[in-house]
Amino acid sequence: MQIFIKIVKWITLLFLILVILSFTIFQNTPIEIANMHWQQYYYRFLLEGLPIMVILTLIWTLKKSNSRKQNLLIVILTIAMTIAISFYSLFLTFRFGFGTWIDYNIAYENKSNPTQTINEQIYDVGAFGYGGKRTVKLTPFLKYWNKVKHVDTLSIDHKKWKRVDKEGDIKFP
């Protein structure tokens, strides 16, 4: 039983750290998940797992050595945190769970490395429409991610880039 509690403790701690990093520091890094469907699955997994992980903290925070009052306080605080995090997760679901940058035009390809592209993107928020535009250079990174860098297409070196104007993820009839 002690081994199980230790495993649950480490899983919940690592999951909570991953959630905190994903919604704070990772949002400000120039690396994004390459596939928009994988990105949505990742954020949904985090958002749906968050209340479950908070409840699982009860397994390793309740102790026989604590007084009855302490354990009751832990239960009440955990339930209150779970409810608060569930409501917060609903808010984050609309922000991260549905919203993603979509390539609507692949404007340029690098002549020496065609996997490196300059894309025009829009922020798709599902039923809420579109939330912004950006033009970025996408460089594949470790197969499943892209390094993202904002670029101005007027100042690129046209000797290195070939104009392609391909449809992106949005297909026009």
Side-chain angles (χ1 to χ4, degrees):
M1 189 66 171
Q2 289 295 83
I3 294 172
F4 176 72
I5 291 173
K6 283 184 180 186
I7 291 171
V8 169
K9 180 178 181 176
W10 283 107
I11 288 172
T12 56
L13 285 174
L14 290 174
F15 186 85
L16 294 172
I17 290 169
L18 180 64
V19 168
I20 290 167
L21 290 175
S22 293
F23 293 130
T24 56
I25 295 171
F26 293 168
Q27 292 298 312
N28 296 319
T29 62
I31 297 173
E32 296 178 352
I33 299 172
N35 185 310
M36 69 176 174
H37 298 294
W38 296 343
Q39 182 182 23
Q40 288 178 343
Y41 291 138
Y42 173 75
Y43 284 113
R44 283 188 183 155
F45 171 73
L46 292 181
L47 292 170
E48 292 171 7
L50 188 57
I52 295 167
M53 290 299 147
V54 172
I55 290 173
L56 284 177
T57 59
L58 276 174
I59 292 173
W60 56 272
T61 54
L62 294 176
K63 298 177 183 169
K64 290 181 184 178
S65 61
N66 291 346
S67 71
R68 196 170 193 162
K69 273 186 173 181
Q70 286 176 319
N71 281 335
L72 185 62
L73 181 64
I74 290 170
V75 169
I76 291 170
L77 287 175
T78 303
I79 290 171
M81 282 180 54
T82 303
I83 291 169
I85 287 173
S86 296
F87 283 116
Y88 187 61
S89 293
L90 284 173
F91 166 74
L92 289 176
T93 298
F94 291 108
R95 173 72 172 98
F96 297 106
F98 298 122
T100 187
W101 287 103
I102 306 263
D103 299 328
Y104 72 88
N105 184 33
I106 301 169
Y108 294 92
E109 283 182 354
N110 190 303
K111 290 180 180 178
S112 62
N113 182 7
T115 60
Q116 191 177 58
T117 59
I118 294 177
N119 297 4
E120 296 168 342
Q121 297 181 327
I122 53 177
Y123 192 72
D124 182 12
V125 197
F128 299 110
Y130 298 103
K133 292 182 178 183
R134 69 181 186 178
T135 302
V136 292
K137 178 175 83 170
L138 298 178
T139 307
F141 174 71
L142 297 176
K143 189 177 180 178
Y144 298 108
W145 292 278
N146 284 328
K147 288 184 181 178
V148 178
K149 182 179 179 189
H150 290 271
V151 295
D152 179 11
T153 55
L154 298 175
S155 64
I156 63 170
D157 183 4
H158 290 284
K159 292 177 185 174
K160 295 180 181 179
W161 295 94
K162 175 177 73 172
R163 182 88 175 161
V164 291
D165 277 329
K166 293 181 187 175
E167 277 186 345
D169 298 322
I170 299 175
K171 304 298 180 197
F172 298 100

